[in-house]
Amino acid sequence: MIDEVKTAKQIIDEMVAEFFGITERMGALHAAKSFQKNKREEYPMTNFPDAKQLFTTVTEDGKSILSIEPYAVPEPKKHEVVVQMEAVPINPSDLGLLTAAANMSTVRSETVDGNPALVADVDPVMQPFFKGRAGKKLAAGNEGAGTVVAAGSSDAAQALMGKVVTIVGGEMYRTHRVMPAMMCVPLPEGAPAKEGASLFVNPMTVQGFLNTMRAEGHEALVHTAAASNLGQMLAKLCLKEGVPLVAIVRSDAQKKILTDIGLTHVIDSSKSDFMEQLIAALAETGATLGFDAIGGGKMASYILTAMEKAAAVRGAEFSVYGSTVNKQVYIYGRLDTGETILGGGLGLYWGVGGWLLTPHLEKAGGERMMEMRMYTVEERNGIFHSDYSSEISLMDMIDPDIAKGYEKKATGEKVLVNPSL
Amino acid sequence: MIDEVKTAKQIIDEMVAEFFGITERMGALHAAKSFQKNKREEYPMTNFPDAKQLFTTVTEDGKSILSIEPYAVPEPKKHEVVVQMEAVPINPSDLGLLTAAANMSTVRSETVDGNPALVADVDPVMQPFFKGRAGKKLAAGNEGAGTVVAAGSSDAAQALMGKVVTIVGGEMYRTHRVMPAMMCVPLPEGAPAKEGASLFVNPMTVQGFLNTMRAEGHEALVHTAAASNLGQMLAKLCLKEGVPLVAIVRSDAQKKILTDIGLTHVIDSSKSDFMEQLIAALAETGATLGFDAIGGGKMASYILTAMEKAAAVRGAEFSVYGSTVNKQVYIYGRLDTGETILGGGLGLYWGVGGWLLTPHLEKAGGERMMEMRMYTVEERNGIFHSDYSSEISLMDMIDPDIAKGYEKKATGEKVLVNPSL
């Protein structure tokens, strides 16, 4: 009995370790390593003769290639299942692997090594940045959902047969993905795969923002690029949990998206009274923690400066080092890849830094992570609902016109891939 | 018995609370409040008819005044002692209260309200920054040492009679300072007050750097403006504790100060091969935490960039977000008050923020703090030894020529005030 318990614990530990190993590689340049690792002994199954997968390659001679190639689906091990992929989103974080190297004005259809492909030139100035992956075929796709069509012999794996599951771990732009059963979260009976497609990256990130807020002793949030899919989720989550949120957007249309959801403090950074409005909203909410998707330029500095002025409005203590209120902005995205410029008058009670989901989850631990995932499934049609502007096939991903569309990262435009189409 | 224990605990709690109240006000613009608070019922003692104190005032009409005035020393309460001050340093952090408002080219001797004073004009552009203290007489002086010449009735207070003690808490530029006995750390028999003058601000700060390093999982340090009095203490402490330190200086003379102490990795930022040398030193030491006294400009960014390149040399994992090595720089001083500019290529595994002693000690707790203070006394002639370029009297502090000298903050120049001269 004790042995059995031990074994179960070991399995969980291995699964968690594998999970972190996989998410670590989410969008990793060195996914090459994972690719090598996944080249384990193959058990080619004749069950899936038409299985296909997408590869992304930056060649030594300066080409960016997305190719669709046959996939020999390995036989699942005891604790594994085979998921037929039916819904895989294209996230901004996926584009780093898919198209970051490509000069998109040069995309064209070609046949590469007998496989259909989308080829683009890599600007010579960009080539050095992709040295680490040069010549290596990489799989891509952070998260997705599909139906379990084959399973290993364990009870846990068998129990998932026929179920629609939501999964994460890279290499999702495939017709079939082999996964540890432990890492598949089943959707309720009858729910379509589409509802489970985007239940990891954005939903876990916004929950992570609130974890961080609580762990670091803040009581309200500021968010930039706040009308994004992720921003809308954060708005709904904050409304539900009673966390005051100050949302920064760049247009009237974006503002309307968030006020329609029910948000009160939506500030437009393109208006001339931006700072006044921001200070007033921060004074009212007491937000001292910001999450910034922009990164470059002065936005983080504007937020910290406004927090400082809001602290004065709220009657905070001041020293020669500024207010003694701890003010923090985390940069979690790089819509602007330029320098981050922080004003000199911030005092010494502030911090700016990067925020990433993977190390956050490692710190939160496996148990809290499973809790968060369960919540994403529960709220898949509520807080964590995603809208898609179009649904495309694996072959569509290498269509020049369609690729130009999904590469644009426009607010509110999110493309869903159905590899089984 | 339980009541007695409780009372003792309450006393300690009150002392610690008072301590944090006082250090919170170290150099505080709003020290005005402390000044009001200290205007408690006065028990004028005829024992000290010549007692004097220094006040610093920024007037509503734009003058910066340092005045020497009579001081009615209050009678110590049960748990208090009266310390005759004999050694009070002028730290950069004291200058914020003493001379930050003054246009030093206009200093002159005057008599103000019948008291001898040093008067300077405040540049109109600076005046708004001192609005919070306008018209208020503030006491100054963060730390110091002297002899206990009167004591309250408690055993703890009586036990200190005649002892030389090191103290902290503001308002030190006085002939006499009333202190809670609990907050006085006695020097060993025979040690002169001078040895206890500077045992708080710099020694506690450098110990704080190592606390932070260990708490946040780093194993080596980078330090800028590293030949300062504080920098030399850090160098000695790191050598003693076996913590690799990369010291950044700006001249050959500064480099020699640190190599003479025994430091190996001393990098000169004025040399053309600065970045190469820095990367090599970071690669060798594995330092991923920096403490920066400069603040403005690109130094923090250079350090983070060099850490990133050093991580590559050390074979770290890389993702699209940069190396997965956590890199942090804390700004603890503002020799440059301009903008802090962070390069756009840092990835997302980094942080920059302010670091201050007071919140650090609050987090560390009263017990750890006392441990750290005991260590400063033990190492007062070793690691935490301070050199002084001159020793002056209270009256010297308001001499125009002498004031111009101590206001300069030159590396290696530290002035000691003996209020009992």
Side-chain angles (χ1 to χ4, degrees), chain A residues 324 348-349, chain B residues 19-20 23-24 200-216 289 291 330 332 354-369 372:
Chain A
T324 55
L348 286 177
Y349 285 87
Chain B
F19 172 80
F20 285 123
T23 58
E24 186 62 38
F200 198 88
V201 179
N202 287 353
M204 296 296 270
T205 298
V206 298
Q207 290 183 79
F209 289 176
L210 265 66
N211 290 346
T212 296
M213 179 193 81
R214 289 176 179 128
E216 299 184 3
L289 175 62
F291 285 93
Y330 285 112
Y332 74 94
W355 191 98
L356 278 174
L357 183 57
T358 307
H360 174 75
L361 291 177
E362 287 188 49
K363 216 191 276 179
E367 201 174 325
R368 172 78 188 116
M369 194 180 74
M372 289 161 71

Side-chain angles (χ1 to χ4, degrees), chain B residues 4 19 34 38 41 48 62 71 82 116 163 231-232 241 249 270 280 313 336 341 352 358 393 405 410:
Chain B
E4 228 180 295
F19 172 80
S34 98
N38 285 344
E41 306 157 62
F48 309 113
Y71 178 43
V82 178
K163 291 235 158 55
Q232 294 175 42
E241 304 214 359
V249 297
S270 72
V313 174
D336 179 342
I341 297 165
V352 172
T358 307
S393 69

